[in-house]
Amino acid sequence: MATRTHQPPPLSLSSDSDTDSEGNSGGVETLRHGDLSDSIFKSYIQITGRSSPDLSKIQSFLTSSRSGALSCLICLERIRPSDPTWSCTSGCFAVFHLICIQSWARQASDLSASRATARLSADLFPAAAAKAIEDAAWHCPKCRFEYSKALIPKAYFCFCGKLQDPPRDPWILPHSCGEICNRPLKNNCGHYCLLLCHPGPCPSCPKLVQARCFCGSVEDVQRCGFKKFSCKNVCSKLLDCGIHRCSETCHDGPCPPCQARSVYRCQCGEIEEERECCDRVFRCEVPCGRVLGCGKHACSKGCHSGECGQCPLQGRRTCPCGKRVYEGMACDVSVPLCGATCDKMLSCGFHRCPERCHRGQCIETCRTVVIKGCRCGSLKKEVPCYQDLACERKCQKVRDCGRHACKRRCCDGDCPPCSEVCGKRLRCKNHKCPSPCHRGPCAPCPVMVTISCSCGETHFEVPCGTETEQKPPKCSKLCHITPLCKHGSDCKPHRCHYGACPPCRLLCEEEFPCGHKCKLRCHGPKPPPNPEFTLKPKKRKSNHQAEDTPGSPCSPCSELLWRSCVGQHIGTERMMVCSARKKFSCENLCGNLLPCGNHYCTKTCHALMSQFLTSVQNERGESCEDCHLPCAKERRPKCPHPCPSPCHPGECAPCKVLIKRSCHCGSMVHVFECMYFNSLSEKEQMTIRSCGGPCHRKLPNCTHLCPETCHPGQCPSPDKCSKKVTVRCGCQTLKKEWLCHDVQAAYLNVSCDPKDVSKNQFGLGLLPCNSECKSKVKVVDSELQLRKPKVVEKEPHVEKHVPKRRKRRERVQEVQQISRLQKIISTTWRLLLYFTLLMVLIAVTYYGYKGLLWLSDWMNEVEEKRERRRYPQI
């Protein structure tokens, strides 16, 4: 970026610039003295502890020197470190080639001398012409400071002027002696510059001295160059009025006029006004009007203080022309006219007033007719004295510029300087000379071009015309453009620059839908670039602003991964590129668990419906086959009955099958729901199976039943049966009643187990027979023989032979009878089903949902009544 300005802006000490990359003789020196500010300013900063704005001129020179931008304003060529130079010491401190400034100074002084001798004829005024030649001056090409002819530089000196022809040293500043400057500092403080030999003005004195503030009330230690300071307190100096004191903050220079307001009288004392103290002495508009000492006239002065004085008409008086004097004339009497010619000198300075003595002013214009010649001497004529005579002849003499004729009417020969603008194209080739038309070469272009970095923090100035060879300085500031990619906070900061920012070097790491991250360099959006470096200013400012560069989308995912088949089978994976992956079938059995949760799919490998929901729209999933097998799960609690439902997931429904369980004694059968009975503990099952009645089981050692309530297990104390048993003798003639346990004991005494005795023989033979028993036995035996029936021998049964066809026909008839019975039963069930559906439709039509519920309750009640009739014990 290049801008043109007439005054250089202040430069920062931290600025940096680009080094000259072109081949030149000072290239090595440029690299070596690339940063000499530390060594040059070292002594100054050691004393002050900080930098100073006064060092900006030196820093500007260092910046221009580092960038190769130091150019001569006269020839517009680059000043190399080996070129002899001269620098202006007045105010601009510009650096020129020694040869260029010598030629410039000679030409300027010779032109000034020729102009002086042209105005002063050497023949008429030889001394004045010789002095004008000696006093011929020349001016600095940049600041136009005037130097005498004696100050034309004749030798090459360093910046401080101590060393002539300073040698080239790559380790010190070019054109410098490398020693301490030691020039007297400004304001004649008595101290000397502490910097090394340097260009530009010396900085303010850094010495510490005792100094008083502007008001003189505070004394403090200050830098000598800044010893004038304000204590920030109230000034309190006595003002000019001698009454009030200054109320301003401690300031430099005289105190302002007193602004205190009060009521004051005018000089005559007639009027009072409220005025500021600085205007307390004033005059009113009322005339004085007091009677003078003569007692006849009043004071004609305005408002004034003191006495009015004597009457001006008293004493010695003269006539208006001053030729006749009157003594002792009263002041109220007018002085008579003398009647002589006035004879006062007129305004022309040559003639006198021809009128008689008169009061008032003489005529303003002298009307005496005289012979006058024009300025150029070509015309003479009688004209009134007050008129100037000028002919119509135009001067054809060439002016001092040597280019234009005078063309002034009736010129006296001393032609004025040319008033035309020079308008020649300057050596910068960008501007025209704005000076009045002149002889010799035009002054260098006064415009300085500022070449700055993109942000404008680092810049240097070069003469106009040399900017085309310059490069933008390197800026140490960071680029202010915020990256637009997602790595904005992580990007490495870069320096100020022209054009587009460098691309982000970090990895994109944008996450793909597949879960992988992009491994390419960041290709996100880019901020609008800075304008490119240019030296040509735009004629029209474009309103079009640079737009952001949108980022490019990530390329397809290139990760290699193993892809399973659509059925997710182990050992069938294939290596694929993530973005080009596709589904495939391994031709094995699916093997996925069916929705029932008990069996596995037997189809060929296929994509599941759950995968289809998350896949691409053009892919179709296939559901596994439906399970039609019966449920084979083991019920909980454990139950011998199979689940009547088809194969299903989860637990089976509670078993509602009715099971029969006899009581412990076997006299009653209980009907239970399988789920209810199996959910009970073993103890509870035993308890619920009891019928609550007598046991009714035969005791093991006798023929009696157990007297206990229905109970599980063996009957208790079978050998202590207390039932009465009829005991007989062997012939059954004698009989007695014993207790059952005594009968068992009797059997045991004869080594006979009561269990082996049948019911009919229990208790028989335990009593001994007597004499009566034997006779009775014989009678009984004879009667028994008579009662025996005669045995008739039966003939053996002979089976009749039946033909096979007859047997087959009989079997078919039996099957037909069974089929007829089945048809009757099925017809009956169909009629019952139709009747039920008819009832449902009637209930829904007339009663709606409530009728349907009523019908369902009625059918449940009928079923419950039927079950109760079949199983009354539930």
Side-chain angles (χ1 to χ4, degrees):
M1 179 179 179
T3 57
R4 288 175 169 81
T5 178
H6 291 276
Q7 293 183 357
L11 295 173
S12 173
L13 291 179
S14 61
S15 62
D16 196 5
S17 58
D18 189 13
T19 57
D20 185 16
S21 60
E22 298 179 1
N24 52 36
S25 61
V28 177
E29 289 80 350
T30 303
L31 293 176
R32 291 186 178 179
H33 76 269
D35 190 7
L36 298 174
S37 57
D38 292 342
S39 61
I40 294 176
F41 305 141
K42 181 178 180 181
S43 57
Y44 184 88
I45 296 177
Q46 283 179 349
I47 296 178
T48 61
R50 58 182 177 86
S51 181
S52 171
D54 299 333
L55 305 179
S56 60
K57 195 70 178 181
I58 307 173
Q59 186 63 38
S60 175
F61 176 84
L62 295 178
T63 303
S64 300
S65 177
R66 280 196 296 269
S67 62
L70 191 63
S71 303
C72 176
L73 285 174
I74 300 175
C75 65
L76 299 183
E77 296 292 336
R78 183 175 300 170
I79 298 177
R80 305 180 186 277
S82 58
D83 295 340
T85 59
W86 176 85
S87 58
C88 177
T89 58
S90 60
C92 66
F93 297 94
V95 182
F96 306 91
H97 286 122
L98 180 62
I99 298 176
C100 296
I101 196 64
Q102 287 175 343
S103 174
W104 174 274
R106 291 192 189 98
Q107 292 181 12
S109 58
D110 292 345
L111 181 60
S112 176
S114 63
R115 288 178 179 175
T117 54
R119 290 186 177 89
L120 299 172
S121 176
D123 298 334
L124 299 177
F125 308 101
K131 186 177 180 182
I133 294 174
E134 291 180 1
D135 295 342
W138 56 280
H139 300 83
C140 172
K142 184 177 181 181
C143 64
R144 311 303 297 171
F145 183 78
E146 184 176 320
Y147 290 92
S148 64
K149 190 174 183 180
L151 294 179
I152 296 177
K154 298 179 177 61
Y156 170 39
F157 286 91
C158 64
F159 292 116
C160 64
K162 295 195 299 289
L163 180 62
Q164 184 176 354
D165 297 327
R168 289 179 55 191
D169 191 342
W171 302 106
I172 62 175
L173 187 68
H175 319 295
S176 166
C177 63
E179 302 296 333
I180 296 178
C181 177
N182 209 26
R183 284 184 287 184
L185 296 177
K186 56 184 178 181
N187 300 328
N188 296 323
C189 65
H191 301 121
Y192 299 91
C193 180
L194 301 176
L195 302 183
L196 298 183
C197 182
H198 61 87
C202 295
S204 300
C205 183
K207 296 287 186 180
L208 294 176
V209 296
Q210 288 285 343
R212 287 189 174 274
C213 62
F214 296 120
C215 65
S217 60
V218 177
E219 185 176 2
D220 195 5
V221 177
Q222 297 288 330
R223 300 289 176 190
C224 183
F226 305 97
K227 56 187 175 182
K228 294 181 179 181
F229 69 100
S230 172
C231 63
K232 305 301 181 183
N233 298 326
V234 178
C235 178
S236 299
K237 286 183 179 179
L238 192 63
L239 297 178
D240 295 339
C241 63
I243 302 172
H244 306 102
R245 294 186 177 273
C246 180
S247 60
E248 300 289 331
T249 305
C250 180
H251 58 86
D252 190 14
C255 295
C258 182
Q259 304 294 325
R261 299 188 68 84
S262 183
V263 177
Y264 298 98
R265 287 183 177 273
C266 62
Q267 292 185 6
C268 64
E270 294 292 332
I271 297 177
E272 289 184 353
E273 288 185 5
E274 183 181 0
R275 303 174 71 90
E276 294 180 351
C277 183
C278 58
D279 296 332
R280 62 187 181 278
V281 179
F282 69 97
R283 299 175 66 182
C284 64
E285 300 296 330
V286 179
C288 178
R290 286 182 287 183
V291 179
L292 297 177
C294 63
K296 299 177 181 179
H297 297 95
C299 179
S300 60
K301 297 179 181 179
C303 178
H304 63 88
S305 59
E307 298 295 332
C308 295
Q310 296 296 325
C311 180
L313 299 179
Q314 287 182 347
R316 187 172 178 271
R317 301 171 64 186
T318 61
C319 65
C321 66
K323 293 180 179 180
R324 182 171 294 185
V325 178
Y326 297 95
E327 296 288 348
M329 186 177 291
C331 63
D332 56 345
V333 178
S334 297
V335 177
L337 300 176
C338 65
T341 303
C342 179
D343 208 24
K344 289 183 180 178
M345 184 64 67
L346 297 177
S347 59
C348 66
F350 298 102
H351 305 98
R352 296 182 178 275
C353 180
E355 302 291 334
R356 290 185 179 276
C357 180
H358 58 85
R359 293 183 176 87
Q361 297 292 333
C362 297
I363 56 175
E364 295 181 358
T365 56
C366 180
R367 299 184 181 275
T368 305
V369 178
V370 295
I371 299 175
K372 283 188 176 182
C374 63
R375 288 192 296 269
C376 63
S378 61
L379 177 64
K380 289 185 178 180
K381 188 177 180 182
E382 290 184 354
V383 293
C385 181
Y386 70 91
Q387 290 183 358
D388 292 331
L389 179 63
C391 66
E392 299 296 325
R393 181 182 177 186
K394 292 183 179 179
C395 179
Q396 299 298 326
K397 187 178 180 180
V398 178
R399 295 188 178 184
D400 56 359
C401 65
R403 294 172 58 191
H404 303 99
C406 177
K407 293 185 179 181
R408 190 175 64 161
R409 295 182 182 277
C410 193
C411 180
D412 59 354
D414 187 10
C415 300
C418 184
S419 60
E420 299 287 337
V421 177
C422 177
K424 291 181 181 179
R425 179 72 65 177
L426 297 178
R427 296 195 63 178
C428 67
K429 299 181 180 180
N430 296 323
H431 304 94
K432 293 182 179 180
C433 180
S435 303
C437 191
H438 58 84
R439 290 180 181 270
C442 298
C445 181
V447 178
M448 296 296 291
V449 179
T450 300
I451 298 179
S452 65
C453 63
S454 179
C455 66
E457 292 291 334
T458 305
H459 46 261
F460 58 86
E461 288 185 343
V462 295
C464 178
T466 63
E467 69 274 9
T468 56
E469 301 177 0
Q470 308 302 329
K471 297 178 181 179
K474 280 186 177 180
C475 181
S476 60
K477 306 295 182 181
L478 296 180
C479 179
H480 65 279
I481 299 178
T482 304
L484 298 181
C485 65
K486 64 180 181 179
H487 307 109
S489 58
D490 300 330
C491 285
K492 182 179 180 181
H494 55 276
R495 303 292 181 184
C496 171
H497 60 89
Y498 282 98
C501 293
C504 179
R505 300 288 183 179
L506 300 179
L507 296 181
C508 176
E509 294 187 346
E510 183 73 24
E511 187 171 357
F512 292 112
C514 61
H516 299 119
K517 293 184 178 180
C518 180
K519 295 184 178 179
L520 300 177
R521 287 283 179 86
C522 178
H523 47 81
K526 298 178 182 179
N530 286 324
E532 295 293 338
F533 176 72
T534 179
L535 296 170
K536 294 181 179 180
K538 295 182 179 180
K539 296 182 179 179
R540 294 182 180 179
K541 293 185 179 180
S542 175
N543 295 328
H544 177 70
Q545 296 181 353
E547 298 180 353
D548 301 341
T549 303
S552 58
C554 296
S555 58
C557 181
S558 59
E559 289 285 340
L560 293 177
L561 48 81
W562 290 97
R563 174 80 179 204
S564 299
C565 62
V566 292
Q568 304 292 327
H569 295 122
I570 299 175
T572 61
E573 295 84 358
R574 296 180 186 176
M575 180 70 76
M576 295 183 180
V577 178
C578 182
S579 58
R581 59 184 178 178
K582 60 182 180 179
K583 295 185 177 182
F584 66 93
S585 175
C586 65
E587 303 301 331
N588 294 330
L589 294 181
C590 175
N592 285 310
L593 194 64
L594 296 178
C596 66
N598 304 316
H599 304 97
Y600 297 91
C601 180
T602 58
K603 287 185 179 181
T604 306
C605 179
H606 63 89
L608 302 180
M609 291 298 294
S610 59
Q611 297 176 357
F612 165 68
L613 295 176
T614 58
S615 63
V616 189
Q617 293 182 358
N618 58 5
E619 297 181 358
R620 292 186 178 181
E622 181 182 357
S623 60
C624 292
E625 59 185 353
D626 297 331
C627 183
H628 299 290
L629 299 175
C631 180
K633 288 185 179 179
E634 184 179 356
R635 290 189 167 186
R636 292 288 184 275
K638 192 172 183 181
C639 170
H641 308 105
C643 179
S645 303
C647 189
H648 60 85
E651 297 294 335
C652 296
C655 183
K656 299 293 185 179
V657 176
L658 299 177
I659 58 174
K660 295 179 180 180
R661 293 290 184 270
S662 63
C663 64
H664 303 300
C665 62
S667 62
M668 183 181 292
V669 176
H670 299 280
V671 179
F672 303 101
E673 283 188 356
C674 181
M675 178 197 68
Y676 170 72
F677 184 78
N678 290 329
S679 63
L680 299 175
S681 63
E682 185 177 358
K683 184 177 180 180
E684 291 174 343
Q685 289 180 0
M686 291 298 178
T687 302
I688 200 172
R689 284 179 60 183
S690 176
C691 63
C695 182
H696 295 297
R697 283 187 293 179
K698 180 180 172 292
L699 293 175
N701 297 334
C702 61
T703 60
H704 302 115
L705 298 178
C706 179
E708 299 293 333
T709 306
C710 180
H711 61 85
Q714 298 294 329
C715 294
S717 304
D719 55 347
K720 295 182 180 181
C721 182
S722 60
K723 295 287 184 180
K724 292 182 179 181
V725 178
T726 302
V727 181
R728 295 178 185 272
C729 62
C731 64
Q732 297 184 1
T733 302
L734 300 177
K735 63 177 180 180
K736 285 186 180 179
E737 287 186 353
W738 287 6
L739 294 176
C740 184
H741 60 83
D742 293 336
V743 176
Q744 294 178 23
Y747 276 118
L748 292 176
N749 289 335
V750 294
S751 300
C752 180
D753 191 357
K755 298 178 182 179
D756 299 335
V757 180
S758 65
K759 180 178 180 182
N760 296 331
Q761 300 295 326
F762 193 76
L764 185 63
L766 292 181
L767 292 178
C769 292
N770 55 11
S771 58
E772 294 178 359
C773 293
K774 292 180 180 179
S775 60
K776 191 175 181 180
V777 168
K778 293 179 179 179
V779 176
V780 173
D781 288 341
S782 61
E783 290 179 357
L784 287 174
Q785 289 295 330
L786 293 174
R787 292 179 182 178
K788 285 183 180 180
K790 294 180 179 181
V791 179
V792 180
E793 294 181 0
K794 293 182 180 180
E795 295 182 359
H797 176 70
V798 179
E799 184 179 358
K800 294 181 181 181
H801 176 70
V802 181
K804 291 183 178 181
R805 289 183 178 180
R806 186 177 178 180
K807 290 181 179 180
R808 190 180 297 114
R809 189 166 48 250
E810 290 176 355
R811 285 197 300 270
V812 171
Q813 290 177 357
E814 291 177 0
V815 171
Q816 289 178 353
Q817 289 177 0
I818 293 173
S819 64
R820 289 193 190 101
L821 180 60
Q822 290 178 349
K823 287 181 180 180
I824 293 170
I825 294 172
S826 63
T827 302
T828 305
W829 277 106
R830 286 176 183 175
L831 291 174
L832 182 61
L833 179 61
Y834 292 155
F835 177 74
T836 304
L837 292 175
L838 183 60
M839 292 295 291
V840 170
L841 290 174
I842 293 172
V844 171
T845 303
Y846 292 96
Y847 301 101
Y849 181 68
K850 293 182 179 180
L852 187 60
L853 293 177
W854 170 81
L855 181 60
S856 176
D857 295 339
W858 175 74
M859 293 179 68
N860 290 335
E861 290 177 1
V862 171
E863 186 68 22
E864 289 178 359
K865 290 178 181 179
R866 180 170 166 268
E867 292 292 334
R868 286 174 185 171
R869 292 194 198 99
R870 291 177 61 186
Y871 309 105
Q873 296 298 328
I874 298 179

